[in-house]
Amino acid sequence: MLRRQDLGHRVVVRRIVGVRDNRPLFTDSLGELVDLTETHLTLATARGKLRVPLDEVHRAKRVPAARRPNATTVVALELAANEAWPAPVQERLGDWLLRAADGWTGRANSALPVGDPDRPLEAAIDAVSRWYADRGQTAMINTPLPLAAPVGAALDERGWTSRSPVLVQTTPLTALVARTPVRADLAEVELATSPSDEWLRLAAARKAAHAGVAPGPDPLDLLPAAARHVLTAVDQVRFAHLYAPTGDNYAPTGDNGGKLIAVGRGTVTGAGRWLGLTSIEVVPEARRQGLAQHVIGALGRWAAERGATDVFLQVEEVNSGAVALYRQLGFTTHHTYLTRVAPPAL
């Protein structure tokens, strides 16, 4: 049976549609799973959305994507994503990238095995392990799939574990902008070339919650120096700030008289093609009001003005709420990756 982790994936559902001669009649539906509740599932099919009661489902499973992206497009998108989230320390192992950022986020502290490492695979993995050991860090490798499946198989044999799968999702920028029109009932999103301290606090608190770490009195204390580099060291970057109007019940207030209630970050990389969306966050008390879409729309219009044509984001497969939101905005899964973690040294 399907789970929330299957949201955003292509699935086939066999359901009971009737009975004939005391035998059930079945029909199969193929589409992308866009919602799953305790009572219903919803598919986006070629004929439109289909909502199916779970008590009618006989069998359901995930199936491979209709079209898999070729290696060239996966590599190009992974490199554009690396530009959008640049680790302050980067070295090459042949074509592979070795990245370190004082342990802040998995993406900025993992090797990216795309291309030829200029040595046998086993020797390349050994070199990755030594590189991170020299920095006092646990070795991690991000494996885009299916491109890096051979790397993943070698890591399996060595006992490397896997974190939750990450969906790399894309949509045309024109479609995203069309789905996120300017809302006159909300305050204008402020776009800045650097994040405010309140922006950083909100982002740091989100990272802490995701990692299960208590943020303490000031979440900024959790941000290493490398974090600011990762966030800001991109030629074209904007930090979205959305404040509640003065007097709204969102205390405490920020410098402008209203509390910062939603943030986001947008970058344009990949030779100007890709808008990358990261750090989209809304404070808990202001969620389910369309604020995330409002922030995304502002970043989309900014990127369109700079000539970008497509959008990407990376979202953990288990984050069902975010997956559902991005599906509503037209995102589909381009490919996935796994963050592989080396076993403890003996």
Side-chain angles (χ1 to χ4, degrees):
M1 193 58 182
L2 300 174
R3 302 172 297 165
R4 296 290 291 177
Q5 291 92 324
D6 296 312
L7 286 167
H9 287 275
R10 191 165 178 253
V11 300
V12 62
V13 175
R14 173 163 291 185
R15 59 193 178 105
I16 302 170
V17 294
V19 177
R20 179 182 296 168
D21 299 329
N22 294 321
R23 300 179 63 182
L25 300 176
F26 301 102
T27 186
D28 291 338
S29 300
L30 181 67
E32 186 172 335
L33 184 66
V34 297
D35 194 23
L36 181 62
T37 70
E38 294 181 356
T39 60
H40 290 75
L41 63 80
T42 304
L43 298 179
T45 73
R47 297 183 178 181
K49 285 190 177 181
L50 175 66
R51 191 165 183 260
V52 181
L54 293 185
D55 58 11
E56 293 182 5
V57 176
H58 174 67
R59 188 175 299 170
K61 64 179 182 179
R62 191 190 299 188
V63 296
R67 293 182 181 178
R68 291 187 174 182
N70 61 43
T72 300
T73 61
V74 171
V75 171
L77 183 48
E78 285 291 329
L79 293 178
N82 181 67
E83 291 178 49
W85 199 253
V89 179
Q90 296 197 44
E91 295 182 10
R92 287 196 172 273
L93 185 72
D95 294 329
W96 288 18
L97 284 174
L98 308 177
R99 308 173 291 189
D102 293 342
W104 195 70
T105 75
R107 275 178 285 170
N109 291 275
S110 57
L112 180 61
V114 294
D116 184 357
D118 198 27
R119 65 203 69 198
L121 177 56
E122 296 296 334
I125 296 172
D126 288 339
V128 170
S129 297
R130 287 193 300 270
W131 193 84
Y132 284 101
D134 289 345
R135 285 157 179 77
Q137 294 183 219
T138 299
M140 296 193 295
I141 299 178
N142 274 9
T143 54
L145 299 174
L147 177 67
V151 179
L155 297 177
D156 287 338
E157 293 183 1
R158 289 173 174 240
W160 288 49
T161 58
S162 298
R163 292 183 175 176
S164 174
V166 173
L167 310 179
V168 181
Q169 300 197 312
T170 62
T171 191
L173 181 53
T174 53
L176 179 69
V177 171
R179 286 184 169 93
T180 53
V182 177
R183 287 181 54 179
D185 61 319
L186 294 175
E188 183 178 354
V189 176
E190 299 179 18
L191 300 182
T193 56
S194 60
S196 66
D197 281 353
E198 287 303 311
W199 192 105
L200 291 170
R201 286 189 178 94
L202 187 53
R206 177 179 181 269
K207 294 291 184 187
H210 180 72
V213 177
D218 190 347
L220 277 177
D221 295 338
L222 294 176
L223 290 177
R228 193 176 289 270
H229 182 281
V230 171
L231 291 168
T232 63
V234 183
D235 287 340
Q236 296 196 74
V237 61
R238 290 295 184 272
F239 296 87
H241 300 69
L242 179 61
Y243 294 92
T246 303
D248 276 16
N249 295 323
Y250 299 122
T253 60
D255 293 339
N256 70 340
K259 182 185 177 183
L260 184 65
I261 55 174
V263 299
R265 175 178 174 272
T267 56
V268 174
T269 60
R273 173 184 175 180
W274 291 102
L275 163 63
L277 295 173
T278 55
S279 303
I280 307 298
E281 180 66 12
V282 178
V283 298
E285 62 269 29
R287 290 173 184 166
R288 293 182 174 83
Q289 299 181 40
L291 303 189
Q293 296 94 315
H294 190 47
V295 165
I296 289 170
L299 291 169
R301 287 183 288 276
W302 163 77
E305 291 173 357
R306 278 144 187 83
T309 58
D310 295 281
V311 193
F312 79 89
L313 54 82
Q314 298 169 327
V315 58
E316 285 194 358
E317 188 179 52
V318 296
N319 190 348
S320 57
V323 171
L325 166 64
Y326 297 139
R327 177 62 184 83
Q328 292 174 8
L329 295 179
F331 283 90
T332 58
T333 300
H334 184 271
H335 65 276
T336 64
Y337 74 75
L338 291 175
T339 298
R340 306 301 303 270
V341 182
L346 298 178

